[in-house]
Amino acid sequence: MKNQKLNRRNFLKTVGAASIGSAIASTKVTAETDEKTKAKKETQFPQIPKRPLGKTGVEVPVLSLGGMFQVIQNQTILKTSLKWGVSYWDTADCYMGGNSEIGMGKYIKRHPDVRKNLFLVSKSDQRDPATMQGLLDRSLKRLNTDHIDLYFIHGMGNPDELNDGIKKVIEKNKAEGKIKFFGFSTHSNMEKCLMAASKLDWIDAIMTSYNIHLMHKKEMNDAVQACHDKGIGLIAMKVQGKGQKIKSQAEKKLTDHFLESGFTEGQAKLKAVLEDKRITAACLAMKSVAMITTNVAAVLDKTKLSKTDKNVLQEYALENCNGYCAGCSQICQRLTGTEYLADTMRYLMYYNGYGDKNLAKQLFAEIPAAEKTKLLNADYSVAQARCPQSLPIKKLMAEALQKLA
């Protein structure tokens, strides 16, 4: 048992290293350099398993490459993802000012044969049917493809956005073969959006925030189950569950526990999400080869989290709930008269939790000046008192305005 544990730890450390070479050191490599041999070598990479995407009849890899990074300058990341079978690529018309789609399209143009094996996802930042159609056509052009496998409304926070106008646009583009499946992404009011979708017959898949902070909440669990029962494919994002607060002693305790168990903290969080079989896949913004191999290692490793591991994760989530915004913006934004409070909380998460300071500042800069003034002058006392997560909203917003402005 001890040797098995050490072997597993060594495997995870090896595959999680920065270079692909270290990840396949144990495979047989010959000195031949012809194309046939190169192709054979690539098939020696273990392949990410697949799961059904709801009732679509399609299976997709359980790990998705999130495209919120400089894809144009990092084509190697795309190539590496495909070697492991991470052929589910997720992007959006707004990611990196459009450069995410352009970068993926550049790769597809240079390697047209890969398109038949890709499951390509993009999203629309617009809700107006006419404008949405224009963005879809632009995405197709940027991506150098004649169809998008799954098309989302991006960042939906209000179920009313699923209206007849949108439905007609989707039906038209499905009939024309421009998209195969449709749904939405959501990191605000997720439970209400999911529950509303479960009552419709034209939503194929949903990408929602889902992590150790959310999976134990009754409302979220009920909404996930309703969508699962309806046959809607569910993609988890924000899987790492990083919050607005800077790392504390609690994170160190969590990290130490899982290193002793043979996982990194991040690998354990990913495994926890994927052990919920209602979840089709997890989408992560893997901005380096090291990130890809670390997450691939967690997925390929067959060891399940122990009961103790799960208890440690749950205890951590409960003890640190006041450092994680759960996206219930219908409460705080209504009580403060602001429209961008939840978005600002998310940008602070990118800054503090993920260390992605430039992205956080870039996104905050897009908020209209008048709305920033509202955020600066709002009275947060009532919203803070009613926050289900007991977030120190006033303090966090002051920190966000200071760091992001």
Side-chain angles (χ1 to χ4, degrees):
M1 182 67 179
K2 183 176 180 181
N3 289 336
Q4 184 181 18
K5 187 174 183 179
L6 288 173
N7 288 338
R8 176 161 58 87
R9 181 184 287 118
N10 290 337
F11 168 75
L12 290 169
K13 286 182 178 178
T14 299
V15 181
S19 72
I20 285 296
S22 64
I24 57 170
S26 62
T27 61
K28 295 180 180 179
V29 180
T30 68
E32 297 174 64
T33 58
D34 59 90
E35 290 301 316
K36 184 176 180 180
T37 303
K38 287 181 180 179
K40 184 177 180 181
K41 286 180 185 178
E42 291 195 0
T43 64
Q44 293 175 344
F45 283 75
Q47 297 295 288
I48 290 295
K50 295 184 177 184
R51 288 181 184 172
L53 182 66
K55 61 181 180 183
T56 63
V58 172
E59 289 192 339
V60 298
V62 300
L63 189 61
S64 165
L65 177 67
M68 195 180 281
F69 64 93
Q70 290 294 347
V71 182
I72 296 176
Q73 291 88 358
N74 291 282
Q75 298 281 288
T76 300
I77 294 176
L78 302 181
K79 181 179 180 180
T80 301
S81 71
L82 293 178
K83 288 182 177 180
W84 296 103
V86 183
S87 55
Y88 178 156
W89 291 358
D90 175 278
T91 185
D93 55 39
C94 60
Y95 284 177
M96 313 312 293
N99 286 322
S100 176
E101 285 187 334
I102 292 170
M104 289 185 183
K106 177 182 177 182
Y107 190 90
I108 292 170
K109 186 175 183 178
R110 291 178 62 189
H111 309 280
D113 288 347
V114 306
R115 179 63 186 98
K116 63 180 180 294
N117 295 318
L118 282 179
F119 188 82
L120 199 55
V121 179
S122 195
K123 313 178 189 75
S124 171
D125 239 1
Q126 296 296 322
R127 276 52 166 166
D128 175 74
T131 309
M132 187 175 177
Q133 181 66 58
L135 291 185
L136 170 59
D137 291 336
R138 186 179 68 179
S139 292
L140 290 166
K141 184 175 181 180
R142 283 175 171 175
L143 289 163
N144 282 305
T145 185
D146 61 357
H147 73 280
I148 292 172
D149 296 286
L150 176 57
Y151 196 59
F152 283 144
I153 291 178
H154 184 34
M156 198 179 84
N158 184 347
D160 292 342
E161 295 176 45
L162 298 172
N163 55 52
D164 288 340
I166 296 295
K167 182 180 179 181
K168 288 178 181 177
V169 172
I170 297 311
E171 289 175 342
K172 172 180 177 292
N173 283 282
K174 279 188 173 183
E176 293 176 357
K178 291 184 177 181
I179 63 173
K180 288 187 176 180
F181 308 114
F182 173 75
F184 59 87
S185 65
T186 176
H187 37 61
S188 179
N189 304 327
M190 294 87 67
E191 297 91 340
K192 287 190 174 182
C193 291
L194 266 65
M195 196 60 78
S198 71
K199 297 176 172 60
L200 301 175
D201 61 0
W202 51 284
I203 305 299
D204 300 303
I206 300 169
M207 184 162 75
T208 179
S209 297
Y210 195 69
N211 52 53
I212 61 171
H213 294 283
L214 299 171
M215 62 174 56
H216 300 295
K217 292 180 175 295
K218 183 180 185 305
E219 295 83 358
M220 175 58 81
N221 188 64
D222 290 347
V224 166
Q225 188 62 46
C227 288
H228 177 70
D229 292 343
K230 186 74 173 183
I232 296 173
L234 293 170
I235 314 301
M237 65 174 169
K238 305 293 186 288
V239 172
Q240 296 298 319
K242 295 183 182 294
Q244 283 66 34
K245 287 190 175 182
I246 297 174
K247 286 188 175 181
S248 65
Q249 197 65 25
E251 275 78 14
K252 184 180 184 304
K253 179 181 177 183
L254 190 68
T255 299
D256 289 346
H257 169 83
F258 283 107
L259 285 178
E260 180 62 28
S261 299
F263 303 116
T264 68
E265 169 200 341
Q267 287 171 326
K269 289 177 177 177
L270 173 57
K271 289 178 79 70
V273 167
L274 289 179
E275 284 186 11
D276 185 339
K277 299 303 183 183
R278 300 173 300 179
I279 302 300
T280 297
C283 181
L284 295 93
M286 297 180 280
K287 302 177 183 180
S288 68
V289 170
M291 287 184 179
I292 293 175
T293 51
T294 297
N295 290 316
V296 164
V299 173
L300 292 178
D301 182 67
K302 302 296 185 183
T303 309
K304 293 185 179 297
L305 296 177
S306 68
K307 185 176 181 180
T308 300
D309 291 336
K310 292 178 180 178
N311 286 340
V312 167
L313 287 171
Q314 187 171 5
E315 287 171 8
Y316 167 82
L318 292 173
E319 290 172 6
N320 295 275
C321 64
N322 68 346
Y324 179 81
C325 176
C328 41
S329 60
Q330 76 275 13
I331 300 174
C332 57
Q333 293 189 170
R334 176 175 55 83
L335 292 173
T336 58
T338 62
E339 292 185 27
Y340 288 88
L341 194 158
D343 286 335
T344 303
M345 282 289 192
R346 184 157 47 89
Y347 305 156
L348 183 62
M349 173 192 69
Y350 292 152
Y351 191 104
N352 286 343
Y354 291 90
D356 206 333
K357 298 180 180 181
N358 290 334
L359 175 63
K361 289 181 177 181
Q362 175 189 326
L363 293 170
F364 183 76
E366 296 173 2
I367 296 178
E371 293 298 329
K372 290 178 183 175
T373 301
K374 288 183 181 179
L375 291 170
L376 180 65
N377 298 323
D379 179 0
Y380 296 106
S381 56
V382 177
Q384 184 166 300
R386 296 188 186 180
C387 177
Q389 297 289 102
S390 300
L391 282 172
I393 299 177
K394 182 178 179 180
K395 179 180 178 181
L396 290 172
M397 290 307 297
E399 181 182 351
L401 292 169
Q402 186 269 323
K403 287 182 173 179
L404 303 179

